[in-house]
């Protein structure tokens, strides 16, 4: 398993699917850690199941909407940039087709084709669909498959929500005496899973990634629990 490189725009189908999967795992991981920190912190201050449910649900919604909005903005910006690049390419193809043909042949030659084959290939690609050829070889994008910002936003929303549901259910469902342990243990187990998956999808060795991920989650819960316990003892 290798990361897709910018030299291989057409090798990107599997690569981009893996990237999506990895983004989903990381989004779920975010939902787990931030919601676990939130509900464990509130559990440090109060035994009220209603308070835990309210805090957890508000955290789930706030987090998933913030992730979706951030993703929407970022993908929209990227898509605008890709559209601008395509428009520029279209203009160049109209105004200086000869130079563009030479450019395409040159790019194909750099990929390893001999000069003559590259010129021939460039001519054929240009006859069939010049814009698509330039978009693919020069810009590394498929003009028909620009990332949809709504899809990206929806995927982020969903991934965060799935992750956030785990600590939320783990803190509100069990009896009060067990809720903290159930939450901490199930969160740490889930972080082993997400750490392992994201490392494997990124083709990195999983051992350290899992350890970092679990340590990060444990730290988040310890800090918010301490804060909640201090506030709970101090007040109200
Ligand atoms: Zn071009």
């Amino acid at each position: 398993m290798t990361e897709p490189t910018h030299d291989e725009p057409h090798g990107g189908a599997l690569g981009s699917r893996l990237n999506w999967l990895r983004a989903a795992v990381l989004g779920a991981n975010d939902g787990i850690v931030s919601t676990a920190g939130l509900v464990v912190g509130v559990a440090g201050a109060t035994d009220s199941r209603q308070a835990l449910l309210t805090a957890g649900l508000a955290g789930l919604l706030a987090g998933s909407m913030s992730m979706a909005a951030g993703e929407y903005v970022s993908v929209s910006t990227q898509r605008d940039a890709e559209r601008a690049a395509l428009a520029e390419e279209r203009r160049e193809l109209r105004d200086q087709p000869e130079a563009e043909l030479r450019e395409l042949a040159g790019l194909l030659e750099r990929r390893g084709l001999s000069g003559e084959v590259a010129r021939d290939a460039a001519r054929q690609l240009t006859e069939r669909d010049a814009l698509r050829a330039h978009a693919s070889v020069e810009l590394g994008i498929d003009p028909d498959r620009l990332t949809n910002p709504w899809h990206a936003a929806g995927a982020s929303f969903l991934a965060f929500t799935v992750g956030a549901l785990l600590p939320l259910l783990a803190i509100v469902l069990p009896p009060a005496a067990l809720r903290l342990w159930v939450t901490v243990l199930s969160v740490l187990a889930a972080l082993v899973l997400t750490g392992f998956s994201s490392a494997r999808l990124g083709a990195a060795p999983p051992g350290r990634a899992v350890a970092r991920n679990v340590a990060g989650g444990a730290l988040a819960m310890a800090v918010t629990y301490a804060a909640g316990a201090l506030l709970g003892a101090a007040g109200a």
Side-chain angles (χ1 to χ4, degrees):
M1 231 186 326
T2 52
E3 289 280 349
T5 69
H6 293 297
D7 278 347
E8 289 177 11
H10 281 304
L14 178 63
S16 79
R17 199 170 317 143
L18 287 178
N19 284 340
W20 272 86
L21 211 53
R22 185 146 181 263
V25 170
L26 293 175
N29 198 77
D30 265 1
I32 295 169
V33 173
S34 70
T35 308
L38 189 58
V39 295
V40 165
V42 175
T46 176
D47 281 336
S48 159
R49 177 168 273 136
Q50 198 198 353
L52 289 165
L53 181 61
T54 307
L57 202 58
L60 180 155
L61 289 171
S64 57
M65 288 195 290
S66 140
M67 294 274 292
E71 194 64 15
Y72 181 84
V73 168
S74 131
V75 170
S76 296
T77 306
Q78 184 195 332
R79 194 166 71 162
D80 289 347
E82 289 174 345
R83 280 189 174 147
L86 284 173
E88 170 72 17
E89 204 58 43
R90 208 173 280 126
R91 205 162 27 241
E92 288 174 2
L93 282 166
R94 189 189 57 215
D95 296 344
Q96 36 183 330
E98 283 304 313
E100 285 294 302
L101 183 62
R102 276 198 302 279
E103 177 194 51
L104 185 58
L107 288 168
L108 291 171
E109 212 176 329
R110 285 227 306 265
R111 301 275 174 90
L113 297 186
S114 75
E116 195 174 334
V117 174
R119 275 191 297 280
D120 199 37
R123 202 170 303 120
Q124 287 185 34
L125 287 169
T126 301
E127 272 167 24
R128 186 176 303 160
D129 188 340
L131 181 64
R132 177 177 303 281
H134 281 258
S136 162
V137 177
E138 193 182 339
L139 307 172
I141 55 184
D142 180 341
D144 293 335
R145 305 184 128 224
L146 301 189
T147 312
N148 183 326
W150 288 106
H151 292 175
S156 292
F157 184 92
L158 204 67
F160 187 97
T161 298
V162 167
L165 277 174
L166 174 81
L168 177 59
L169 296 177
I171 205 91
V172 297
L173 291 183
L178 292 179
R179 64 167 59 119
L180 207 55
W181 291 111
V182 171
T183 304
V184 169
L185 291 178
S186 60
V187 162
L188 294 181
L191 293 180
V192 169
L193 206 68
T194 53
F196 182 84
S197 312
S198 74
R200 288 307 298 269
L201 291 168
R208 281 187 193 174
V210 167
R212 281 191 211 109
N213 204 37
V214 169
L219 183 68
M221 289 187 286
V223 167
T224 58
Y225 183 79
L230 276 175
L231 280 174

